[in-house]
Amino acid sequence: MSIQKYTSPPILQLETTTACNLSCPFCLRGRLCGSDEYLSFDVFCRIIDNTRSQYVTLHGWGEPLMHPALIDMIRYASGKKRSVNFTTNATLLTEHTDALLDAGLDAIAFSFPDAAQFAPVISRNVSRFVQERADKSRKKPKTYINIALMEGNFGSVEEGLALAKTVGVDVVNFERSFPWAEEQAISEPALFSRIRSAAKKTGCKVTLPAPHTNTCPLFQLTLFVRWNGDVAPCCYRADHILGNILQESFLSILKKRAEFQKTMKHDPICGRCRV
């Protein structure tokens, strides 16, 4: 059967490492990762060569800048005409800035879940990155501050946007955190309205998550592959393995995804998730 009969998601999300230099209390890494692991460069190249997604996202449940081959990965995927991006906590950014600006990276997002905890890191490292990009007269990579909305940070929206304006990033991207339940979905219009109002006051460009649909947009748009080649429905369901991209054909993986999609609304987690 032809592969064209199955949907190949436009985004390939590769978990380059499960290692991280932070232990944030809201992060699911501790529950989903048993140890610090790294995607090998050879395996990375195999996955890139055998998948078709236009966009390659190099992060999962770890800090990408801890991977010693991250720059090589960016160069390789970019050389294959893929649009490459990743999200970082920015703590290790300064020592990699020059290489990142020269590697062919299209976008970089700086994770910013809480103003009080991350403001010093964002202010110093991200500001330097943005300034060095300007000094080199580069338009890429496009810079984002990425804010995962959760109950504990709803009150710091305005502070987050003010910080983004100060450091000079291009866009502030808001996303729903997991789990985003029905009660949060009901209250989000008021929250999004508040974000738009704050963005207008600060002059920040913002993006907000699209309305949730079934089948969920995250599953439809993204093929999530863990460091060892395991394929899961999304990064939040890293414990639910659909197959292994190193041991099975891409067509086989797409078939398993299609089968899972048929039952997703009855899944005890996916059926209730509103991310």
Side-chain angles (χ1 to χ4, degrees):
M1 186 175 291
S2 170
I3 195 171
Q4 279 77 22
K5 291 184 178 292
Y6 295 92
T7 299
S8 179
I11 302 169
L12 171 64
Q13 182 178 356
L14 284 175
E15 183 177 58
T16 52
T17 181
T18 60
C20 189
N21 58 335
L22 297 180
S23 297
C24 302
F26 46 79
C27 183
L28 300 179
R29 174 177 166 270
R31 179 164 67 84
L32 296 173
C33 305
S35 58
D36 292 351
E37 306 289 352
Y38 295 83
L39 175 69
S40 76
F41 183 68
D42 288 343
V43 168
F44 171 83
C45 294
R46 285 173 56 193
I47 294 173
I48 292 295
D49 291 346
N50 289 284
T51 53
R52 336 167 67 204
S53 302
Q54 179 183 354
Y55 302 95
V56 177
T57 295
L58 301 179
H59 61 259
W61 293 110
E63 169 50 52
L65 289 174
M66 292 189 70
H67 199 301
L70 180 68
I71 302 301
D72 292 331
M73 291 176 175
I74 294 170
R75 289 184 179 132
Y76 187 85
S78 177
K80 295 288 184 175
K81 308 303 181 184
R82 311 293 180 90
S83 177
V84 188
N85 70 85
F86 72 94
T87 297
T88 172
N89 62 35
T91 57
L92 306 173
L93 184 63
T94 301
E95 59 194 272
H96 298 284
T97 293
D98 287 335
L100 288 171
L101 289 171
D102 295 332
L105 189 67
D106 281 304
I108 183 169
F110 310 111
S111 182
F112 173 56
D114 182 84
Q117 184 176 356
F118 288 90
V121 173
I122 295 291
S123 299
R124 182 180 67 250
N125 294 358
V126 178
S127 291
R128 288 176 181 171
F129 186 91
V130 173
Q131 184 59 54
E132 189 161 340
R133 186 188 64 170
D135 291 344
K136 290 177 176 284
S137 300
R138 303 284 177 81
K139 294 183 177 179
K140 290 184 178 181
K142 193 169 184 178
T143 55
Y144 295 81
I145 280 182
N146 199 55
I147 300 179
L149 294 165
M150 57 191 80
E151 295 289 348
N153 69 1
F154 288 171
S156 63
V157 165
E158 289 80 4
E159 188 176 357
L161 288 172
L163 177 60
K165 184 67 174 179
T166 299
V167 299
V169 295
D170 299 312
V171 181
V172 181
N173 177 60
F174 289 90
E175 62 182 27
R176 302 178 182 95
S177 63
F178 177 87
W180 194 262
E182 185 63 33
E183 56 269 25
Q184 291 164 304
I186 292 172
S187 63
E188 71 180 25
L191 175 61
F192 290 179
S193 177
R194 201 176 115 218
I195 291 171
R196 293 189 190 95
S197 177
K200 187 175 182 180
K201 291 178 182 178
T202 58
C204 287
K205 182 178 180 180
V206 302
T207 59
L208 291 166
H212 178 82
T213 58
N214 283 316
T215 306
C216 86
L218 192 57
F219 178 85
Q220 289 178 312
L221 295 174
T222 306
L223 178 70
F224 178 62
V225 183
R226 301 215 66 185
W227 66 272
N228 60 356
D230 283 343
V231 177
C234 76
C235 61
Y236 301 117
R237 295 301 315 278
D239 58 327
H240 187 91
I241 306 305
L242 298 175
N244 189 288
I245 203 166
L246 303 176
Q247 301 169 7
E248 306 170 54
S249 70
F250 190 39
L251 178 57
S252 173
I253 294 294
L254 293 181
K255 285 181 178 179
K256 290 182 178 181
R257 279 175 49 87
E259 288 302 311
F260 180 77
Q261 181 174 340
K262 293 177 184 178
T263 62
M264 184 179 288
K265 65 181 179 181
H266 303 297
D267 184 88
I269 297 177
C270 292
R272 296 196 303 267
C273 178
R274 297 294 178 267
V275 171

